[in-house]
Amino acid sequence: MAKVNAKYEAMVVFSLAKGEDAVKELIEKFKAQIEENATLESVDESWGKRKLAYPINDELDGYYVIYTFESSPAYPAEFTRKVNITDGVLRSLVTVK
């Protein structure tokens, strides 16, 4: 029998090219999307601005955020799709916690 809900962790690296205000807007946007489709447990911004290990799109710094949530197995794929088509996101990874 398939799992009904599971806990997930999504790490998103945001671009700082448009400034930190644009980053805050994107953080809130994804937080709202998760709250609509899943049970949001936490939003961890403690990593914050960090130097990237290698340049991504000619950028050397990124803003790291970790979202922890519980949802059905279908939602993480939809979340990944939305993150990947959003301007201002450098990288993302969703894992089962």
Side-chain angles (χ1 to χ4, degrees):
M1 189 168 180
K3 280 185 163 181
V4 175
N5 280 342
K7 290 187 179 189
Y8 297 92
E9 204 171 71
M11 175 179 274
V12 184
V13 182
F14 295 102
S15 168
L16 291 166
K18 295 182 181 176
E20 291 195 21
D21 291 337
V23 171
K24 296 294 181 191
E25 288 176 19
L26 287 173
I27 292 170
E28 289 302 315
K29 173 185 171 181
F30 290 120
K31 179 181 172 188
Q33 285 181 5
I34 292 171
E35 288 173 336
E36 288 175 15
N37 298 287
T39 305
L40 182 67
E41 292 181 7
S42 67
V43 178
D44 182 8
E45 293 185 50
S46 63
W47 282 33
K49 183 180 176 182
R50 298 256 173 148
K51 184 164 282 309
L52 300 172
Y54 54 89
I56 301 173
N57 299 338
D58 296 326
E59 294 189 42
L60 301 175
D61 296 320
Y63 194 90
Y64 288 75
V65 178
I66 300 173
Y67 299 95
T68 306
F69 59 94
E70 185 173 336
S71 74
S72 65
Y75 178 66
E78 177 64 14
F79 178 79
T80 301
R81 184 188 72 78
K82 288 180 180 178
V83 167
N84 288 340
I85 62 172
T86 302
D87 288 337
V89 175
L90 297 176
R91 290 286 188 270
S92 67
L93 178 66
V94 179
T95 58
V96 177
K97 190 169 179 185

